[in-house]
Amino acid sequence: MDLPYGRIKVSQARTAFAISLSEAKTHLRIDSSYTADDTYITELIKIAQDIVEKQTNVLMSEVGMDFIADIWPGPFVDLGFSGNTITHFKYYNTSNVLTTLSENTDFIVSNKDYPNATLRLYPVSGSDW
């Protein structure tokens, strides 16, 4: 996703989705012992979640993100979506070094001041970025 001050991209493949294969098979009334279509059903889950997330700007399961920008853009970064907490974030600092930041150590993810707004990354006090 491109932002006015940088770019956000998924940094790793998801390991979990909002709906498990088992839940999908139960909903579709497919016996759990039948596995011939498991790969197909799993792909449908991924596609459906991706569509919902893009249409609603709400993350339905945890995902790692990279923020790529020349400089930290200001007092916070508006991520443009809401949903699950982000546990790590990467960005290129002013020395052009890829920097990994950790939640509650380097940054806090919040929309507490704007409950209907998208998530924002705020630096933890004393952080040098």
Side-chain angles (χ1 to χ4, degrees), residues 9-12 62-67 79 85-91 99-104 106-107 109 121:
K9 69 175 188 165
V10 174
S11 64
Q12 61 195 30
E62 187 174 298
V63 63
M65 297 281 193
D66 290 346
F67 172 63
L79 299 177
T85 302
I86 296 169
T87 57
H88 73 277
F89 214 71
K90 297 179 182 179
Y91 85 105
T99 304
T100 301
L101 307 175
S102 300
E103 185 179 19
N104 296 323
D106 302 306
F107 69 87
V109 177
L121 259 67

Side-chain angles (χ1 to χ4, degrees), residues 11-23:
S11 64
Q12 61 195 30
R14 290 181 197 241
T15 57
F17 291 87
I19 299 171
S20 69
L21 175 61
S22 174
E23 291 169 323

Side-chain angles (χ1 to χ4, degrees), residues 76-113:
F76 63 85
V77 173
D78 188 334
L79 299 177
F81 54 82
S82 59
N84 288 7
T85 302
I86 296 169
T87 57
H88 73 277
F89 214 71
K90 297 179 182 179
Y91 85 105
Y92 288 93
N93 66 19
T94 54
S95 301
N96 202 31
V97 175
L98 183 61
T99 304
T100 301
L101 307 175
S102 300
E103 185 179 19
N104 296 323
T105 301
D106 302 306
F107 69 87
I108 299 167
V109 177
S110 176
N111 65 347
K112 66 180 178 71
D113 296 332

Side-chain angles (χ1 to χ4, degrees), residues 22-33:
S22 174
E23 291 169 323
K25 288 174 80 169
T26 299
H27 176 75
L28 296 169
R29 296 189 173 104
I30 297 173
D31 189 87
S32 61
S33 62

